[in-house]
Amino acid sequence: MKTEIYVVSHKNVKMPSEKVYIPVQVGKNTENFKGFERDNTGVNISAKNPNYCELTVQYWAWKNRIADVKGLVHYRRYFSNGKAAFFKTPAEKFNEILTSNKIADLLEENDAILPRKRNYYIETSWSHYEHAHHIEGLEVAKEVIGERYPEYIPSFEEVVNRKAIHMFNMMIAKSEVFDSYTEWLFDILPEVEKRVDISEYSDYEKRIFGFISEILLDVWFEKNQIKYAELPVLFIGKQNWVRKIGLFFLRKMGLSKKAV
């Protein structure tokens, strides 16, 4: 079984040693990082990276790569072999990154691997998005889904009214799942792009299509009843929890839309 996990990075940083991890360089840097693929090769939307984030690599993998299993992770975020590893050093965390053997074991009984859901506890995914971003993007996404895939609207309503959701646009899946989801996603997002004027958005908020897709992943998985396993996410590097918690509460009070 050929497995490829694409590691999205705009920096020339350390990568996992297992061959299943394929580093993919994004962004406008003219330097080609040694050992990295680039998302601006083949059929691609690399130029849209400021707005689509890691989805430019997802699109590239859908259009250009052939494998039995495809996955998407980040240079700062990986799936764990099963342990959260909050208090370990970055070097120690690298030893906890999900292995190819574990991937094969999990996909014997599942069609995909997703990060453990983030639970907002005090609000729904819809209200969280509204506090964190410009809600019009999600409103228009619902509008487009209603026009093109009306059978998905009940799943959309179910997902946005929950208090927990899969985040980070991370997944590992059998290729038919990865490619089918990506095809559906890219029938929706370009139409949303046509209808939403982001010219006055901050650089952070211009990453709109990456934000919307975090919710749409659960919509597609819910509608298609995809069987998946969940694993903790390893955050490589230090996490500023004081800042994150402070920004979380500022968002709820409507005083900030900065990244948490």
Side-chain angles (χ1 to χ4, degrees):
M1 183 171 65
K2 184 180 180 182
T3 298
E4 293 189 343
I5 312 301
Y6 312 106
V7 186
V8 183
S9 183
H10 65 281
K11 296 181 178 181
N12 190 0
V13 295
K14 180 181 178 181
M15 289 288 162
S17 58
E18 278 207 85
K19 292 182 179 180
V20 295
Y21 287 98
I22 312 292
V24 184
Q25 181 180 345
V26 299
K28 296 181 179 180
N29 194 327
T30 56
E31 175 193 357
N32 293 316
F33 303 154
K34 185 178 179 180
F36 283 57
E37 299 286 345
R38 291 208 68 158
D39 74 340
N40 63 359
T41 58
V43 181
N44 71 83
I45 56 167
S46 178
K48 293 181 180 288
N49 183 259
N51 310 124
Y52 279 76
C53 310
E54 58 279 332
L55 298 184
T56 61
V57 175
Q58 185 173 329
Y59 183 95
W60 172 84
W62 166 44
K63 290 292 188 179
N64 299 290
R65 305 296 292 193
I66 298 174
D68 300 298
V69 174
K70 296 179 179 180
L72 194 70
V73 297
H74 308 259
Y75 77 98
R76 293 187 304 158
R77 300 188 189 106
Y78 294 91
F79 287 101
S80 164
N81 251 344
K83 299 177 182 178
F86 287 118
F87 303 107
K88 293 192 175 184
T89 67
E92 290 171 332
K93 288 178 181 178
F94 256 81
N95 294 326
E96 300 294 339
I97 290 175
L98 182 62
T99 63
S100 56
N101 287 339
K102 181 76 170 180
I103 293 169
D105 289 345
L106 290 171
L107 293 182
E108 283 187 2
E109 298 183 359
N110 298 280
D111 294 315
I113 301 166
L114 298 178
R116 283 183 182 167
K117 287 181 178 178
R118 173 177 284 185
N119 197 322
Y120 296 118
Y121 297 104
I122 62 173
E123 62 178 351
T124 65
S125 296
W126 182 278
S127 62
H128 171 77
Y129 191 100
E130 188 170 20
H131 287 138
H133 310 296
H134 297 289
I135 193 61
E136 65 176 330
L138 197 54
E139 290 172 338
V140 173
K142 179 182 177 181
E143 178 183 282
V144 173
I145 291 171
E147 293 169 4
R148 299 191 173 191
Y149 302 96
E151 69 276 16
Y152 279 76
I153 288 296
S155 295
F156 182 94
E157 295 287 2
E158 176 73 19
V159 167
V160 298
N161 283 293
R162 289 177 183 160
K163 294 180 179 179
I165 196 164
H166 296 105
M167 297 292 288
F168 312 126
N169 289 320
M170 291 173 58
M171 69 170 163
I172 298 172
K174 294 174 181 176
S175 60
E176 59 268 26
V177 172
F178 185 102
D179 290 345
S180 294
Y181 164 62
T182 307
E183 181 177 14
W184 177 84
L185 182 66
F186 278 96
D187 192 41
I188 294 167
L189 293 183
E191 183 60 28
V192 177
E193 185 177 5
K194 293 176 184 177
R195 301 185 191 188
V196 180
D197 180 5
I198 65 172
S199 59
E200 299 299 319
Y201 283 16
S202 68
D203 287 345
Y204 172 69
E205 282 304 315
K206 285 180 179 177
R207 295 156 61 184
I208 173 176
F209 307 108
F211 300 142
I212 292 172
S213 65
E214 288 181 306
I215 289 178
L216 296 193
L217 183 145
D218 273 5
V219 173
W220 191 85
F221 269 64
E222 177 84 15
K223 174 64 175 65
N224 293 283
Q225 294 293 289
I226 304 299
K227 187 177 181 183
Y228 60 84
E230 290 185 338
L231 288 176
V233 173
L234 283 172
F235 292 88
I236 305 299
K238 294 182 179 180
Q239 297 289 298
N240 189 336
W241 290 108
V242 173
R243 179 180 181 274
K244 284 178 175 288
I245 293 169
L247 285 174
F248 176 83
F249 284 106
L250 286 174
R251 277 180 167 184
K252 304 315 157 199
M253 294 184 288
L255 298 176
S256 175
K257 288 187 182 293
K258 291 183 179 180
V260 174

